[in-house]
Structure formats: structure tokens, C-alpha cells
Amino acid sequence: MLPTPAGLAFAAALLVMLIASINYNLSLGYALVFLLGGVSVASIVHAFRNLLHLSFSPGRAEPVFAGESACFHIVVANHRPARRPALRLTAHGAAVPFEIGAGDGADVTVPVVTATRGWMTLGRVRIETTYPLGLIRAWSVLVPDQRCLVYPAPEPTPPPLPEGASRNLGQRAGAAGDDDFAGLRTHQPADSPRHVAWKTLARGGPMLTKQFSGMDGGEIDLDWNDLPANLGTEARLSRMTAWIMAAERRGLAFSLTLPDTRIATGRGPQHSTSCLQRLALFGTDVAADA
């Protein structure tokens, strides 16, 4: 426990008052100085008791993309029948004020801005209070075993997804769709005649195929080696992240091929999460444990 800037100013004011009382022999001045000094000493006890018998346990931190804020959840429990006001959790420069009722608990979310992909640990967390007068700051440090997976930042304007290689291109996927018209694309020999844009062809236009939401665009292979040679490692990861998100939104089946691993064709949130995790840990020592 140490005095706050306000506490130091308060102590300096008390010293000046004490010197003036001694100089002019003011008995009321002595009484006022000692009264205020006793109050400040009592605030030390209250600040200490405000942190006494608090317990902390790490919560879950959902994966985020690089550049977003990771939300670390810390569960704080109050084991005393007394309210705990004016508490504050601080980590990575972010301070989160909160309070807890008597015998209650609180799920405190500490936002931390991410910069790079991979595992991000929460590290040192400081719990502190300046209760009750703001003159004394009491604090303690904890290091919870908590981490958050940071995916690569998706490329803002990625090129279109690679062409699907499935023979049943243009057929309905197993998942239900709304059959909403989503646009036109270049016709391929495997496309069903039912989906050909005959009106466009009759007007002298090119032969195009209609696309609908909820339709299968074929099995797409997101291959590391198919990307342009001038792309760096992080740029490749960023593009493949954007492609995975696009394929997930459209309900397409895709596989992921990296220099050190390959994930078979699949679809759905769980498949996308597995692929994004591989991209996040690509080239790191813990990639094999993912």
C-alpha cells in the first residue's frame, strides 16, 4: 500500500497545518491535524480490508482476429459479508472498474488489443483499490493461467475464391438453403442446364450459370502453393483467412493445404475453426499441439 498523489498532497497539507499550529500555538489546529491524520490512517485499514478474502479464477477467452480486442474473463468472488466498492483490474494498460456485493461474485472482462497471431497470454494482472477516500492505493498482483488464440487478420479485399473442383458443381448442398439468387458466374461443362442463364444467352451474351445461396460451389482446395510467389508468409495467411471466412459464409466445402499439414475437405463452423487455428499457429513451436 502506498499513498496516491492526492494522499501525498493531503500529507503535505497536514504538515503545513502542523507547522502553523506549532508556530502560533493553536490548540484547535493541533486537534484538527491529529483528527485528519487519524482519518487517513484509518483509511489504510479500510483499503486493505477491501481486498481481503477476494478470490480469482480465469474464465474463457474466445479467439479473435489480429487487431481486434481479446476479451479475457476473470471471475472474482467475494467471500465476506461486506460490499467491495471501488475495485479495479488492470492488465496491459487497460483498467476495468467494478464492485462486488456482499457474498457475491463478478465476471470481469479485461479487453486487450492484439497485434500478432498466435497464442496471447494475459500475463500480470493488478487488482487495486483507493477506497474509501482516495488517499491510499492498495494492490496485489496475480498471474492467471489464461490465454487467447489470435487468428491472422483477414485480407481486406481478397481475390475471389479458387474455382471448385467438384463434379457436382451447382448442385444443392446437403445443408438447407434459401435458394436466393446470388449472382452469375462463368458456365462450366459440369453445370446443370437448369441453372444456365438462358435469357442472357438469348440476348447474345455469354453463357453464364446462376448461383443461389444454399448451393454447393464445389470442393475448394485452399492450397498454400497456389498463391502468388511474391506474397510473404503473413500475407498468405491473411488471404487464406479471408477465403475461409468467405467459404464459411457461403456454406462451401473446402480443404486446407499448408507446407506442414493438410486438413481434409469439410464444411461448417467446426471445420472453419480448425483451419483458422492451423493458420494462427503456423510456423510456431506449438502448432503441432493444436
Side-chain angles (χ1 to χ4, degrees), residues 168-188:
N168 62 349
L169 190 67
Q171 300 297 320
R172 288 294 303 271
D178 295 330
D179 283 345
D180 293 329
F181 179 71
L184 299 172
R185 61 169 173 80
T186 303
H187 178 76
Q188 298 182 8

Side-chain angles (χ1 to χ4, degrees), residues 32-64:
L32 181 60
V33 169
F34 294 141
L35 174 63
L36 295 178
V39 171
S40 65
V41 172
S43 70
I44 299 176
V45 178
H46 285 281
F48 171 76
R49 287 173 58 84
N50 202 36
L51 297 184
L52 187 63
H53 294 155
L54 287 177
S55 66
F56 303 85
S57 56
R60 178 175 174 80
E62 296 294 335
V64 296

Side-chain angles (χ1 to χ4, degrees), residues 142-168:
L142 57 143
V143 185
D145 184 15
Q146 192 173 8
R147 61 181 185 174
C148 175
L149 184 60
V150 182
Y151 299 144
E155 186 176 3
T157 54
L161 284 168
E163 290 288 341
S166 177
R167 289 181 176 271
N168 62 349

Side-chain angles (χ1 to χ4, degrees), residues 6-7 19 39 42 51 55 71 74 83 91 101 118 125 127 137-138 142 150 173 209 226 234 277 279 282 286:
I19 294 174
V39 171
L51 297 184
S55 66
C71 294
I74 298 179
R83 187 173 66 95
V125 178
I127 175 68
R137 183 173 70 95
L142 57 143
V150 182
T209 299
D226 291 341
E234 297 304 322
Q277 183 177 12
L279 295 182
F282 177 77
V286 294

